[in-house]
Amino acid sequence: MQTLVSRATGHPRLRDYQEAAVDAVRKYPKPRPVVVAATGAGKTVIASKIAVERLARGPVLFLAHRDELLDQTLERFAMVFDGHGAPGQEVTVGRIQAEANDVAADFAVASVQTLSQPERLSQWLAAHETTPTVITDECHHAAAASYKRIYAALGLLGDVREGTLHLGLTATPYRTDRADLTQVYDGVAYAIGIHDLMEIGFLVPPKSERLEIVEGLEDDDDDRDWSDAEVAGAVDTPGVNQRIVEAWKEKASDRLTIAFCASVEHAYHLADAFEAAGVPVAAVHGALPKQVRRETLAAFSDGKIRVLCNYGVLTEGFDRPEVTCIIMARPTKSHSLYVQCIGRGLRIAPHIGKEDCLVLDVVGVTAIHKLMTVDRLLAEDQDAVSEANAKEDVAARGKRVAKRLSAAAFRWLRVRDGVWLARDFRGRFVRVQQIDGVWHVAYGAWASEESNARRVAGGDAPVEPKAETLYYGADSEMAWGCAATYAQLWLQPRAVAVDQDWMTLPPTPKQVEALQRRGLPVPQTRWEAAELVTLATPRQLEVLGKIFSAYKVPRHLLPDTLEEAAALLDAVIGKRMDRDEFLVQYSRVLPHRWLIALESHVLTASYAELVNAV
């Protein structure tokens, strides 16, 4: 169990539709609402904001059924609490899963499998007189016996104690076994679908390629999905597996890929086919030891494995935005299963230039009317969200579709590997950095003394140096979501929005002159020229690189822009100084970068003490 203390930073700012979802839950007239939000909408952030608001009422219990969901929830709750809790507010957080048994925590994430055991459930009830807030993730599972055992013990079935909230979260309200969720929930308070999130740039569009290579799947008149055994018998053949590998090599060999298979054996057989073709591949499934599974997923995230053949473990709670191809090697009629599978590839990843997700749909050689494909998914998603909204009082909930845009709506300077910068004409910036798998997003402002002098001479106020962290953690989706929010709130649209007309015009004479003076080729557009004249020059970086090496200063502190590099060089070139004196000069000349480096742990505490002493 851990104690958190809120700094009330106000970060991260929730997206407009996330705020609308929180408000809809507040106003919902019944105690058991559901929020339906497509993959990539940030359901856990929505839930965390609600949890923070309700902590004053008593403990908050968050239920999930996968380890990965528990880990993500703890991280995101900590981030939201730090930003949106009261100043100095304390909360204890913990988990109830396997050996972990933090039943006394104010905010607890619990595995359904663990908490549904009578002994664990009794321990929770003994530690808390009431549980006024329960949140169930992936709540389309909530009609299962293990869930209902917990709900019955907490008084969430039938008449519910006044002031209690049982919030359900799901990407889809569908369930192929037709279990009746009305026994558990009162209705949908808010819904946002795949179409909406694609429209505002928080999901990339799926691009479908149909592989009509399967024989033996029969169409029928009912809505029952095929069993895994029925599907495996049709798709797990040497011929089909070989055709899948050939199609992938032709259409997706440069894409990080997840294949959804029909059985454990199918996952291994398809992996064998990829391996025989020389493709780095691995198979994962629920029976793998947890440590082996984590190591395999880590290798996949690092790009050492290009194709991950899985059965039953990556449909929920697995977030790798860099995935750009899904192989749907498990044909299905289930909307729920299909959206969960392809949703693993729809998350945005501006840092790799992701524009879409290729879905290789393995389908039958004959038409099957009820088979899920990308086209049918998008049509049903639109219908489902419209139906959910029609049943609720939309006016009481506020606008459903967000105004805020994704990171793809802005121009980002790629400073160097792992560093991106959006900067406007007033010296304001949003900066994204990735170091050893950890993302650090900051916003602020800075201008050199020379630039500020020109501003003052022109009657403008000088730029005051500023830097503040928005996000620090391993979640790239959260990082780019925060970056997008502040790019929209903090920066001038005419400087950074991708739809600005000036960006596609030819370079200005002044840009051409500056580029020729540096011996750089003149690009075709004004934006490309702006990139080249904004970034530090190779010569500046070469000189500073030698200085940084001599003083053993982390290269992560290298200046981002030509203006920063020139200011630092002016302060240190030709001056004899030791390492501490150099760091002091750095902190004075580039205070915004110094603050960012301290908060991203690039520097040790001794550096901060040094500057504070000076």
Side-chain angles (χ1 to χ4, degrees), residues 441-463:
V441 182
Y443 80 110
W446 179 84
S448 66
E449 291 182 3
E450 182 182 346
S451 293
N452 270 337
R454 288 197 299 269
R455 282 184 169 83
V456 172
D460 295 326
V463 176

mmCIF file with all atom_site columns, all heavy atoms in Angstrom, residues 441-463:
data_model
loop_
_atom_site.group_PDB
_atom_site.id
_atom_site.type_symbol
_atom_site.label_atom_id
_atom_site.label_alt_id
_atom_site.label_comp_id
_atom_site.label_asym_id
_atom_site.label_entity_id
_atom_site.label_seq_id
_atom_site.pdbx_PDB_ins_code
_atom_site.Cartn_x
_atom_site.Cartn_y
_atom_site.Cartn_z
_atom_site.occupancy
_atom_site.B_iso_or_equiv
_atom_site.pdbx_formal_charge
_atom_site.auth_seq_id
_atom_site.auth_comp_id
_atom_site.auth_asym_id
_atom_site.auth_atom_id
_atom_site.pdbx_PDB_model_num
ATOM 1   N N   . VAL A 1 441 ? 6.334  15.095 -20.906 1.00 0.00 ? 441 VAL A N   1
ATOM 2   C CA  . VAL A 1 441 ? 5.701  16.172 -21.670 1.00 0.00 ? 441 VAL A CA  1
ATOM 3   C C   . VAL A 1 441 ? 5.707  17.428 -20.813 1.00 0.00 ? 441 VAL A C   1
ATOM 4   O O   . VAL A 1 441 ? 5.304  17.394 -19.644 1.00 0.00 ? 441 VAL A O   1
ATOM 5   C CB  . VAL A 1 441 ? 4.259  15.810 -22.061 1.00 0.00 ? 441 VAL A CB  1
ATOM 6   C CG1 . VAL A 1 441 ? 3.636  16.924 -22.900 1.00 0.00 ? 441 VAL A CG1 1
ATOM 7   C CG2 . VAL A 1 441 ? 4.229  14.492 -22.809 1.00 0.00 ? 441 VAL A CG2 1
ATOM 8   N N   . ALA A 1 442 ? 6.171  18.526 -21.390 1.00 0.00 ? 442 ALA A N   1
ATOM 9   C CA  . ALA A 1 442 ? 6.219  19.798 -20.668 1.00 0.00 ? 442 ALA A CA  1
ATOM 10  C C   . ALA A 1 442 ? 5.757  20.917 -21.587 1.00 0.00 ? 442 ALA A C   1
ATOM 11  O O   . ALA A 1 442 ? 5.812  20.806 -22.812 1.00 0.00 ? 442 ALA A O   1
ATOM 12  C CB  . ALA A 1 442 ? 7.636  20.076 -20.173 1.00 0.00 ? 442 ALA A CB  1
ATOM 13  N N   . TYR A 1 443 ? 5.285  21.990 -20.974 1.00 0.00 ? 443 TYR A N   1
ATOM 14  C CA  . TYR A 1 443 ? 4.990  23.189 -21.751 1.00 0.00 ? 443 TYR A CA  1
ATOM 15  C C   . TYR A 1 443 ? 5.648  24.378 -21.067 1.00 0.00 ? 443 TYR A C   1
ATOM 16  O O   . TYR A 1 443 ? 5.998  24.330 -19.887 1.00 0.00 ? 443 TYR A O   1
ATOM 17  C CB  . TYR A 1 443 ? 3.486  23.401 -21.904 1.00 0.00 ? 443 TYR A CB  1
ATOM 18  C CG  . TYR A 1 443 ? 2.792  24.023 -20.706 1.00 0.00 ? 443 TYR A CG  1
ATOM 19  C CD1 . TYR A 1 443 ? 2.303  25.327 -20.773 1.00 0.00 ? 443 TYR A CD1 1
ATOM 20  C CD2 . TYR A 1 443 ? 2.613  23.319 -19.518 1.00 0.00 ? 443 TYR A CD2 1
ATOM 21  C CE1 . TYR A 1 443 ? 1.656  25.902 -19.689 1.00 0.00 ? 443 TYR A CE1 1
ATOM 22  C CE2 . TYR A 1 443 ? 1.977  23.878 -18.444 1.00 0.00 ? 443 TYR A CE2 1
ATOM 23  C CZ  . TYR A 1 443 ? 1.488  25.173 -18.517 1.00 0.00 ? 443 TYR A CZ  1
ATOM 24  O OH  . TYR A 1 443 ? 0.861  25.746 -17.451 1.00 0.00 ? 443 TYR A OH  1
ATOM 25  N N   . GLY A 1 444 ? 5.837  25.446 -21.816 1.00 0.00 ? 444 GLY A N   1
ATOM 26  C CA  . GLY A 1 444 ? 6.481  26.606 -21.223 1.00 0.00 ? 444 GLY A CA  1
ATOM 27  C C   . GLY A 1 444 ? 6.748  27.679 -22.254 1.00 0.00 ? 444 GLY A C   1
ATOM 28  O O   . GLY A 1 444 ? 6.102  27.750 -23.302 1.00 0.00 ? 444 GLY A O   1
ATOM 29  N N   . ALA A 1 445 ? 7.728  28.539 -21.939 1.00 0.00 ? 445 ALA A N   1
ATOM 30  C CA  . ALA A 1 445 ? 8.081  29.643 -22.829 1.00 0.00 ? 445 ALA A CA  1
ATOM 31  C C   . ALA A 1 445 ? 9.536  30.007 -22.602 1.00 0.00 ? 445 ALA A C   1
ATOM 32  O O   . ALA A 1 445 ? 10.077 29.843 -21.496 1.00 0.00 ? 445 ALA A O   1
ATOM 33  C CB  . ALA A 1 445 ? 7.184  30.851 -22.567 1.00 0.00 ? 445 ALA A CB  1
ATOM 34  N N   . TRP A 1 446 ? 10.186 30.501 -23.659 1.00 0.00 ? 446 TRP A N   1
ATOM 35  C CA  . TRP A 1 446 ? 11.576 30.965 -23.557 1.00 0.00 ? 446 TRP A CA  1
ATOM 36  C C   . TRP A 1 446 ? 11.927 31.760 -24.798 1.00 0.00 ? 446 TRP A C   1
ATOM 37  O O   . TRP A 1 446 ? 11.448 31.459 -25.903 1.00 0.00 ? 446 TRP A O   1
ATOM 38  C CB  . TRP A 1 446 ? 12.553 29.790 -23.442 1.00 0.00 ? 446 TRP A CB  1
ATOM 39  C CG  . TRP A 1 446 ? 13.992 30.233 -23.356 1.00 0.00 ? 446 TRP A CG  1
ATOM 40  C CD1 . TRP A 1 446 ? 14.658 30.629 -22.231 1.00 0.00 ? 446 TRP A CD1 1
ATOM 41  C CD2 . TRP A 1 446 ? 14.926 30.332 -24.438 1.00 0.00 ? 446 TRP A CD2 1
ATOM 42  N NE1 . TRP A 1 446 ? 15.953 30.974 -22.547 1.00 0.00 ? 446 TRP A NE1 1
ATOM 43  C CE2 . TRP A 1 446 ? 16.147 30.795 -23.894 1.00 0.00 ? 446 TRP A CE2 1
ATOM 44  C CE3 . TRP A 1 446 ? 14.848 30.068 -25.802 1.00 0.00 ? 446 TRP A CE3 1
ATOM 45  C CZ2 . TRP A 1 446 ? 17.277 31.004 -24.672 1.00 0.00 ? 446 TRP A CZ2 1
ATOM 46  C CZ3 . TRP A 1 446 ? 15.976 30.284 -26.591 1.00 0.00 ? 446 TRP A CZ3 1
ATOM 47  C CH2 . TRP A 1 446 ? 17.171 30.733 -26.016 1.00 0.00 ? 446 TRP A CH2 1
ATOM 48  N N   . ALA A 1 447 ? 12.749 32.784 -24.608 1.00 0.00 ? 447 ALA A N   1
ATOM 49  C CA  . ALA A 1 447 ? 13.339 33.525 -25.722 1.00 0.00 ? 447 ALA A CA  1
ATOM 50  C C   . ALA A 1 447 ? 14.719 33.997 -25.281 1.00 0.00 ? 447 ALA A C   1
ATOM 51  O O   . ALA A 1 447 ? 14.957 34.259 -24.092 1.00 0.00 ? 447 ALA A O   1
ATOM 52  C CB  . ALA A 1 447 ? 12.471 34.707 -26.128 1.00 0.00 ? 447 ALA A CB  1
ATOM 53  N N   . SER A 1 448 ? 15.625 34.123 -26.219 1.00 0.00 ? 448 SER A N   1
ATOM 54  C CA  . SER A 1 448 ? 16.973 34.600 -25.898 1.00 0.00 ? 448 SER A CA  1
ATOM 55  C C   . SER A 1 448 ? 16.934 36.081 -25.542 1.00 0.00 ? 448 SER A C   1
ATOM 56  O O   . SER A 1 448 ? 15.951 36.789 -25.819 1.00 0.00 ? 448 SER A O   1
ATOM 57  C CB  . SER A 1 448 ? 17.892 34.382 -27.101 1.00 0.00 ? 448 SER A CB  1
ATOM 58  O OG  . SER A 1 448 ? 17.474 35.207 -28.187 1.00 0.00 ? 448 SER A OG  1
ATOM 59  N N   . GLU A 1 449 ? 18.017 36.571 -24.941 1.00 0.00 ? 449 GLU A N   1
ATOM 60  C CA  . GLU A 1 449 ? 18.098 37.994 -24.593 1.00 0.00 ? 449 GLU A CA  1
ATOM 61  C C   . GLU A 1 449 ? 17.966 38.856 -25.850 1.00 0.00 ? 449 GLU A C   1
ATOM 62  O O   . GLU A 1 449 ? 17.316 39.909 -25.831 1.00 0.00 ? 449 GLU A O   1
ATOM 63  C CB  . GLU A 1 449 ? 19.424 38.274 -23.881 1.00 0.00 ? 449 GLU A CB  1
ATOM 64  C CG  . GLU A 1 449 ? 19.526 37.655 -22.502 1.00 0.00 ? 449 GLU A CG  1
ATOM 65  C CD  . GLU A 1 449 ? 20.845 37.997 -21.822 1.00 0.00 ? 449 GLU A CD  1
ATOM 66  O OE1 . GLU A 1 449 ? 21.639 38.759 -22.417 1.00 0.00 ? 449 GLU A OE1 1
ATOM 67  O OE2 . GLU A 1 449 ? 21.075 37.509 -20.699 1.00 0.00 ? 449 GLU A OE2 1
ATOM 68  N N   . GLU A 1 450 ? 18.571 38.402 -26.941 1.00 0.00 ? 450 GLU A N   1
ATOM 69  C CA  . GLU A 1 450 ? 18.503 39.148 -28.194 1.00 0.00 ? 450 GLU A CA  1
ATOM 70  C C   . GLU A 1 450 ? 17.069 39.232 -28.708 1.00 0.00 ? 450 GLU A C   1
ATOM 71  O O   . GLU A 1 450 ? 16.595 40.302 -29.123 1.00 0.00 ? 450 GLU A O   1
ATOM 72  C CB  . GLU A 1 450 ? 19.406 38.479 -29.236 1.00 0.00 ? 450 GLU A CB  1
ATOM 73  C CG  . GLU A 1 450 ? 19.458 39.189 -30.566 1.00 0.00 ? 450 GLU A CG  1
ATOM 74  C CD  . GLU A 1 450 ? 20.336 38.459 -31.567 1.00 0.00 ? 450 GLU A CD  1
ATOM 75  O OE1 . GLU A 1 450 ? 21.106 37.569 -31.145 1.00 0.00 ? 450 GLU A OE1 1
ATOM 76  O OE2 . GLU A 1 450 ? 20.241 38.775 -32.771 1.00 0.00 ? 450 GLU A OE2 1
ATOM 77  N N   . SER A 1 451 ? 16.354 38.118 -28.672 1.00 0.00 ? 451 SER A N   1
ATOM 78  C CA  . SER A 1 451 ? 14.960 38.121 -29.129 1.00 0.00 ? 451 SER A CA  1
ATOM 79  C C   . SER A 1 451 ? 14.084 38.986 -28.241 1.00 0.00 ? 451 SER A C   1
ATOM 80  O O   . SER A 1 451 ? 13.203 39.718 -28.729 1.00 0.00 ? 451 SER A O   1
ATOM 81  C CB  . SER A 1 451 ? 14.411 36.693 -29.149 1.00 0.00 ? 451 SER A CB  1
ATOM 82  O OG  . SER A 1 451 ? 15.058 35.914 -30.127 1.00 0.00 ? 451 SER A OG  1
ATOM 83  N N   . ASN A 1 452 ? 14.304 38.898 -26.943 1.00 0.00 ? 452 ASN A N   1
ATOM 84  C CA  . ASN A 1 452 ? 13.521 39.724 -26.023 1.00 0.00 ? 452 ASN A CA  1
ATOM 85  C C   . ASN A 1 452 ? 13.794 41.211 -26.236 1.00 0.00 ? 452 ASN A C   1
ATOM 86  O O   . ASN A 1 452 ? 12.889 42.045 -26.115 1.00 0.00 ? 452 ASN A O   1
ATOM 87  C CB  . ASN A 1 452 ? 13.803 39.330 -24.576 1.00 0.00 ? 452 ASN A CB  1
ATOM 88  C CG  . ASN A 1 452 ? 12.853 38.243 -24.087 1.00 0.00 ? 452 ASN A CG  1
ATOM 89  O OD1 . ASN A 1 452 ? 11.757 38.085 -24.620 1.00 0.00 ? 452 ASN A OD1 1
ATOM 90  N ND2 . ASN A 1 452 ? 13.268 37.503 -23.076 1.00 0.00 ? 452 ASN A ND2 1
ATOM 91  N N   . ALA A 1 453 ? 15.042 41.550 -26.549 1.00 0.00 ? 453 ALA A N   1
ATOM 92  C CA  . ALA A 1 453 ? 15.369 42.954 -26.814 1.00 0.00 ? 453 ALA A CA  1
ATOM 93  C C   . ALA A 1 453 ? 14.599 43.467 -28.035 1.00 0.00 ? 453 ALA A C   1
ATOM 94  O O   . ALA A 1 453 ? 14.094 44.594 -28.043 1.00 0.00 ? 453 ALA A O   1
ATOM 95  C CB  . ALA A 1 453 ? 16.876 43.110 -27.028 1.00 0.00 ? 453 ALA A CB  1
ATOM 96  N N   . ARG A 1 454 ? 14.488 42.606 -29.067 1.00 0.00 ? 454 ARG A N   1
ATOM 97  C CA  . ARG A 1 454 ? 13.724 42.997 -30.249 1.00 0.00 ? 454 ARG A CA  1
ATOM 98  C C   . ARG A 1 454 ? 12.238 43.158 -29.906 1.00 0.00 ? 454 ARG A C   1
ATOM 99  O O   . ARG A 1 454 ? 11.560 44.051 -30.412 1.00 0.00 ? 454 ARG A O   1
ATOM 100 C CB  . ARG A 1 454 ? 13.897 41.962 -31.360 1.00 0.00 ? 454 ARG A CB  1
ATOM 101 C CG  . ARG A 1 454 ? 15.275 41.982 -32.019 1.00 0.00 ? 454 ARG A CG  1
ATOM 102 C CD  . ARG A 1 454 ? 15.252 41.244 -33.353 1.00 0.00 ? 454 ARG A CD  1
ATOM 103 N NE  . ARG A 1 454 ? 14.881 39.847 -33.204 1.00 0.00 ? 454 ARG A NE  1
ATOM 104 C CZ  . ARG A 1 454 ? 15.762 38.862 -33.017 1.00 0.00 ? 454 ARG A CZ  1
ATOM 105 N NH1 . ARG A 1 454 ? 17.066 39.140 -32.955 1.00 0.00 ? 454 ARG A NH1 1
ATOM 106 N NH2 . ARG A 1 454 ? 15.352 37.618 -32.889 1.00 0.00 ? 454 ARG A NH2 1
ATOM 107 N N   . ARG A 1 455 ? 11.730 42.291 -29.051 1.00 0.00 ? 455 ARG A N   1
ATOM 108 C CA  . ARG A 1 455 ? 10.332 42.402 -28.661 1.00 0.00 ? 455 ARG A CA  1
ATOM 109 C C   . ARG A 1 455 ? 10.064 43.716 -27.927 1.00 0.00 ? 455 ARG A C   1
ATOM 110 O O   . ARG A 1 455 ? 9.070  44.408 -28.197 1.00 0.00 ? 455 ARG A O   1
ATOM 111 C CB  . ARG A 1 455 ? 9.950  41.218 -27.756 1.00 0.00 ? 455 ARG A CB  1
ATOM 112 C CG  . ARG A 1 455 ? 9.700  39.921 -28.494 1.00 0.00 ? 455 ARG A CG  1
ATOM 113 C CD  . ARG A 1 455 ? 9.234  38.841 -27.537 1.00 0.00 ? 455 ARG A CD  1
ATOM 114 N NE  . ARG A 1 455 ? 8.748  37.664 -28.251 1.00 0.00 ? 455 ARG A NE  1
ATOM 115 C CZ  . ARG A 1 455 ? 9.510  36.691 -28.719 1.00 0.00 ? 455 ARG A CZ  1
ATOM 116 N NH1 . ARG A 1 455 ? 10.832 36.758 -28.511 1.00 0.00 ? 455 ARG A NH1 1
ATOM 117 N NH2 . ARG A 1 455 ? 9.003  35.679 -29.371 1.00 0.00 ? 455 ARG A NH2 1
ATOM 118 N N   . VAL A 1 456 ? 10.926 44.044 -27.004 1.00 0.00 ? 456 VAL A N   1
ATOM 119 C CA  . VAL A 1 456 ? 10.760 45.276 -26.229 1.00 0.00 ? 456 VAL A CA  1
ATOM 120 C C   . VAL A 1 456 ? 10.857 46.495 -27.145 1.00 0.00 ? 456 VAL A C   1
ATOM 121 O O   . VAL A 1 456 ? 10.059 47.442 -27.054 1.00 0.00 ? 456 VAL A O   1
ATOM 122 C CB  . VAL A 1 456 ? 11.807 45.358 -25.102 1.00 0.00 ? 456 VAL A CB  1
ATOM 123 C CG1 . VAL A 1 456 ? 11.760 46.722 -24.420 1.00 0.00 ? 456 VAL A CG1 1
ATOM 124 C CG2 . VAL A 1 456 ? 11.553 44.248 -24.076 1.00 0.00 ? 456 VAL A CG2 1
ATOM 125 N N   . ALA A 1 457 ? 11.816 46.453 -28.074 1.00 0.00 ? 457 ALA A N   1
ATOM 126 C CA  . ALA A 1 457 ? 11.974 47.571 -29.013 1.00 0.00 ? 457 ALA A CA  1
ATOM 127 C C   . ALA A 1 457 ? 10.740 47.747 -29.888 1.00 0.00 ? 457 ALA A C   1
ATOM 128 O O   . ALA A 1 457 ? 10.405 48.863 -30.301 1.00 0.00 ? 457 ALA A O   1
ATOM 129 C CB  . ALA A 1 457 ? 13.211 47.348 -29.891 1.00 0.00 ? 457 ALA A CB  1
ATOM 130 N N   . GLY A 1 458 ? 10.046 46.627 -30.152 1.00 0.00 ? 458 GLY A N   1
ATOM 131 C CA  . GLY A 1 458 ? 8.838  46.688 -30.974 1.00 0.00 ? 458 GLY A CA  1
ATOM 132 C C   . GLY A 1 458 ? 7.581  46.955 -30.176 1.00 0.00 ? 458 GLY A C   1
ATOM 133 O O   . GLY A 1 458 ? 6.477  46.921 -30.724 1.00 0.00 ? 458 GLY A O   1
ATOM 134 N N   . GLY A 1 459 ? 7.737  47.194 -28.876 1.00 0.00 ? 459 GLY A N   1
ATOM 135 C CA  . GLY A 1 459 ? 6.590  47.518 -28.033 1.00 0.00 ? 459 GLY A CA  1
ATOM 136 C C   . GLY A 1 459 ? 5.910  46.323 -27.404 1.00 0.00 ? 459 GLY A C   1
ATOM 137 O O   . GLY A 1 459 ? 4.855  46.471 -26.772 1.00 0.00 ? 459 GLY A O   1
ATOM 138 N N   . ASP A 1 460 ? 6.486  45.113 -27.535 1.00 0.00 ? 460 ASP A N   1
ATOM 139 C CA  . ASP A 1 460 ? 5.908  43.914 -26.923 1.00 0.00 ? 460 ASP A CA  1
ATOM 140 C C   . ASP A 1 460 ? 6.594  43.587 -25.605 1.00 0.00 ? 460 ASP A C   1
ATOM 141 O O   . ASP A 1 460 ? 7.737  43.995 -25.357 1.00 0.00 ? 460 ASP A O   1
ATOM 142 C CB  . ASP A 1 460 ? 6.045  42.722 -27.876 1.00 0.00 ? 460 ASP A CB  1
ATOM 143 C CG  . ASP A 1 460 ? 5.249  42.898 -29.151 1.00 0.00 ? 460 ASP A CG  1
ATOM 144 O OD1 . ASP A 1 460 ? 4.170  43.513 -29.075 1.00 0.00 ? 460 ASP A OD1 1
ATOM 145 O OD2 . ASP A 1 460 ? 5.713  42.443 -30.215 1.00 0.00 ? 460 ASP A OD2 1
ATOM 146 N N   . ALA A 1 461 ? 5.913  42.854 -24.764 1.00 0.00 ? 461 ALA A N   1
ATOM 147 C CA  . ALA A 1 461 ? 6.495  42.423 -23.488 1.00 0.00 ? 461 ALA A CA  1
ATOM 148 C C   . ALA A 1 461 ? 7.514  41.315 -23.742 1.00 0.00 ? 461 ALA A C   1
ATOM 149 O O   . ALA A 1 461 ? 7.329  40.492 -24.656 1.00 0.00 ? 461 ALA A O   1
ATOM 150 C CB  . ALA A 1 461 ? 5.405  41.926 -22.550 1.00 0.00 ? 461 ALA A CB  1
ATOM 151 N N   . PRO A 1 462 ? 8.583  41.246 -22.964 1.00 0.00 ? 462 PRO A N   1
ATOM 152 C CA  . PRO A 1 462 ? 9.549  40.152 -23.116 1.00 0.00 ? 462 PRO A CA  1
ATOM 153 C C   . PRO A 1 462 ? 8.931  38.822 -22.692 1.00 0.00 ? 462 PRO A C   1
ATOM 154 O O   . PRO A 1 462 ? 7.973  38.778 -21.916 1.00 0.00 ? 462 PRO A O   1
ATOM 155 C CB  . PRO A 1 462 ? 10.687 40.556 -22.180 1.00 0.00 ? 462 PRO A CB  1
ATOM 156 C CG  . PRO A 1 462 ? 10.040 41.415 -21.141 1.00 0.00 ? 462 PRO A CG  1
ATOM 157 C CD  . PRO A 1 462 ? 8.944  42.161 -21.860 1.00 0.00 ? 462 PRO A CD  1
ATOM 158 N N   . VAL A 1 463 ? 9.467  37.744 -23.218 1.00 0.00 ? 463 VAL A N   1
ATOM 159 C CA  . VAL A 1 463 ? 9.008  36.401 -22.856 1.00 0.00 ? 463 VAL A CA  1
ATOM 160 C C   . VAL A 1 463 ? 9.645  36.007 -21.528 1.00 0.00 ? 463 VAL A C   1
ATOM 161 O O   . VAL A 1 463 ? 10.867 36.016 -21.389 1.00 0.00 ? 463 VAL A O   1
ATOM 162 C CB  . VAL A 1 463 ? 9.384  35.382 -23.945 1.00 0.00 ? 463 VAL A CB  1
ATOM 163 C CG1 . VAL A 1 463 ? 8.994  33.970 -23.512 1.00 0.00 ? 463 VAL A CG1 1
ATOM 164 C CG2 . VAL A 1 463 ? 8.720  35.733 -25.263 1.00 0.00 ? 463 VAL A CG2 1
#
